[in-house]
Amino acid sequence: MPRPLYPVTLINRHTLSDNTIQLDFQVEGEFDFIAGQFVQFMIDQNGSTQKRSYSIANSPDSFRKEGHLEIAISLVEGGMASELFSQTDLGLQLQVAGPFGILTAPAEHSGQIVLTGTGTGLTPYRAMLPTLASMAETGIPVTVIMGVRHRTDLIYEQEFRQVAEQHANFSYQVCMSRETEVDSSINEFKGYVQQRFEHLNLDTDSDLVYLCGNPNMINDAARVLLDMGFGSRQVKREKYVYSGH
């Protein structure tokens, strides 16, 4: 049975990094979601409807309070949705379907939780931040690992660092593949996110690892984790496939 469609109106646009923007949409109807889920935008192009999927960046509590969805979008040169969302005036009206996705925080968990993302793959973890902070408060170790090429590609960095400063069991780490200088005192590292797994004292019996973002990263990271002894159910994945047009 198809999911209902909800009318949305673009009410704000923010720059997150050189190639990433955040869009805020007012939503009509009885829409709700679980942190970590995504929606599909219906975009008309030359008489046909194109679907583009984006993770929701704000928490359910924030949505219920403010009434709008926050969506982070990586801009792709020549991309149909990228051009529309980066250039259109506020007031744009579209429809979204959803929510979809199972990359959600566990209702109950006792082991360590590691949430790994590249690019806008960090977006669903931002939506989970209140839940993750609460879990850290109860003693569950939470580690968020963000992978980018350059420091200027980071999004929502200060929000994650603030939670890490407030909760001893919450760690925020950054892996940068193209930077020559990093600051290890604030958990910056050279290389790729999957290279951090061996340093996390992971328990293959009780820990849970999330992977979200670039498909190549997810494939490489999943391979590392499976080689370490993780079962497939302990590795939750959501690949971002970018459409060129």
Side-chain angles (χ1 to χ4, degrees), residues 4-8 27-33 63-64 67 69 96 98-99:
L5 295 176
Y6 299 90
V8 298
V27 185
E28 297 179 28
E30 298 298 319
F31 180 84
D32 205 0
F33 67 97
F63 168 72
R64 295 173 195 131
L69 290 179
V96 300

Side-chain angles (χ1 to χ4, degrees), residues 9-38:
T9 303
L10 179 62
I11 59 174
N12 213 338
R13 178 169 44 225
H14 320 265
T15 298
L16 297 178
S17 72
D18 290 345
N19 68 336
T20 311
I21 59 176
Q22 177 183 304
L23 304 176
D24 299 347
F25 289 91
Q26 195 74 34
V27 185
E28 297 179 28
E30 298 298 319
F31 180 84
D32 205 0
F33 67 97
I34 301 171
Q37 290 188 305
F38 65 92

Side-chain angles (χ1 to χ4, degrees), residues 195-208:
Q195 295 171 327
R196 294 301 306 155
F197 295 151
E198 63 181 291
H199 303 285
L200 299 181
N201 193 29
L202 293 172
D203 186 330
T204 57
D205 291 327
S206 61
D207 294 349
L208 188 62

Side-chain angles (χ1 to χ4, degrees), residues 116-119 145-149 154 173-176 191 193:
T116 308
T118 54
I145 309 174
M146 174 62 169
V148 293
R149 292 181 177 180
L154 291 170
Q173 304 183 13
V174 174
C175 293
M176 294 178 283
V193 293

Side-chain angles (χ1 to χ4, degrees), residues 70-108:
E70 298 175 1
I71 308 291
I73 297 178
S74 292
L75 300 178
V76 179
E77 185 175 354
M80 178 268 296
S82 294
E83 292 186 354
L84 172 67
F85 288 134
S86 64
Q87 299 175 13
T88 191
D89 294 332
L90 300 183
L92 172 71
Q93 295 183 330
L94 296 170
Q95 290 185 315
V96 300
F100 303 101
I102 58 172
L103 196 81
T104 55
E108 294 183 4

Side-chain angles (χ1 to χ4, degrees), residues 137-156:
E137 188 70 28
T138 64
I140 297 173
V142 177
T143 301
V144 176
I145 309 174
M146 174 62 169
V148 293
R149 292 181 177 180
H150 302 282
R151 189 176 285 102
T152 54
D153 297 329
L154 291 170
I155 61 173
Y156 303 126

Side-chain angles (χ1 to χ4, degrees), residues 19-243:
N19 68 336
T20 311
I21 59 176
Q22 177 183 304
L23 304 176
D24 299 347
F25 289 91
Q26 195 74 34
V27 185
E28 297 179 28
E30 298 298 319
F31 180 84
D32 205 0
F33 67 97
I34 301 171
Q37 290 188 305
F38 65 92
V39 291
Q40 284 185 338
F41 282 81
M42 306 297 161
I43 302 174
D44 291 329
Q45 185 184 42
N46 301 325
S48 64
T49 300
Q50 303 293 324
K51 299 178 181 180
R52 293 293 184 271
S53 299
Y54 299 103
S55 293
I56 301 169
N58 54 324
S59 70
D61 284 346
S62 169
F63 168 72
R64 295 173 195 131
K65 186 183 301 182
E66 304 292 337
H68 64 251
L69 290 179
E70 298 175 1
I71 308 291
I73 297 178
S74 292
L75 300 178
V76 179
E77 185 175 354
M80 178 268 296
S82 294
E83 292 186 354
L84 172 67
F85 288 134
S86 64
Q87 299 175 13
T88 191
D89 294 332
L90 300 183
L92 172 71
Q93 295 183 330
L94 296 170
Q95 290 185 315
V96 300
F100 303 101
I102 58 172
L103 196 81
T104 55
E108 294 183 4
H109 189 70
S110 57
Q112 180 178 192
I113 299 177
V114 178
L115 304 106
T116 308
T118 54
T120 52
L122 195 73
T123 301
Y125 309 147
R126 180 184 184 247
M128 297 180 197
L129 262 181
T131 300
L132 298 175
S134 296
M135 297 177 81
E137 188 70 28
T138 64
I140 297 173
V142 177
T143 301
V144 176
I145 309 174
M146 174 62 169
V148 293
R149 292 181 177 180
H150 302 282
R151 189 176 285 102
T152 54
D153 297 329
L154 291 170
I155 61 173
Y156 303 126
E157 177 187 16
Q158 295 309 314
E159 295 180 42
F160 283 90
R161 290 200 182 281
Q162 183 177 10
V163 174
E165 290 172 0
Q166 295 171 345
H167 301 279
N169 289 312
F170 188 102
S171 172
Y172 172 72
Q173 304 183 13
V174 174
C175 293
M176 294 178 283
S177 61
R178 303 287 177 87
E179 290 288 347
T180 56
E181 300 295 332
V182 296
D183 186 350
S184 60
S185 70
I186 56 171
N187 285 336
E188 290 183 351
F189 304 94
K190 294 181 182 180
Y192 300 96
V193 293
Q194 59 267 29
Q195 295 171 327
R196 294 301 306 155
F197 295 151
E198 63 181 291
H199 303 285
L200 299 181
N201 193 29
L202 293 172
D203 186 330
T204 57
D205 291 327
S206 61
D207 294 349
L208 188 62
V209 183
Y210 289 66
L211 306 172
C212 187
N214 182 282
N216 292 330
M217 177 279 288
I218 290 178
N219 292 338
D220 291 344
R223 192 176 302 113
V224 170
L225 293 166
L226 294 177
D227 287 346
M228 292 175 69
F230 277 90
S232 58
R233 290 186 178 182
Q234 295 167 273
V235 182
K236 302 184 72 169
R237 326 170 204 194
E238 188 164 283
K239 296 181 179 181
Y240 284 2
V241 179
Y242 301 103
S243 300

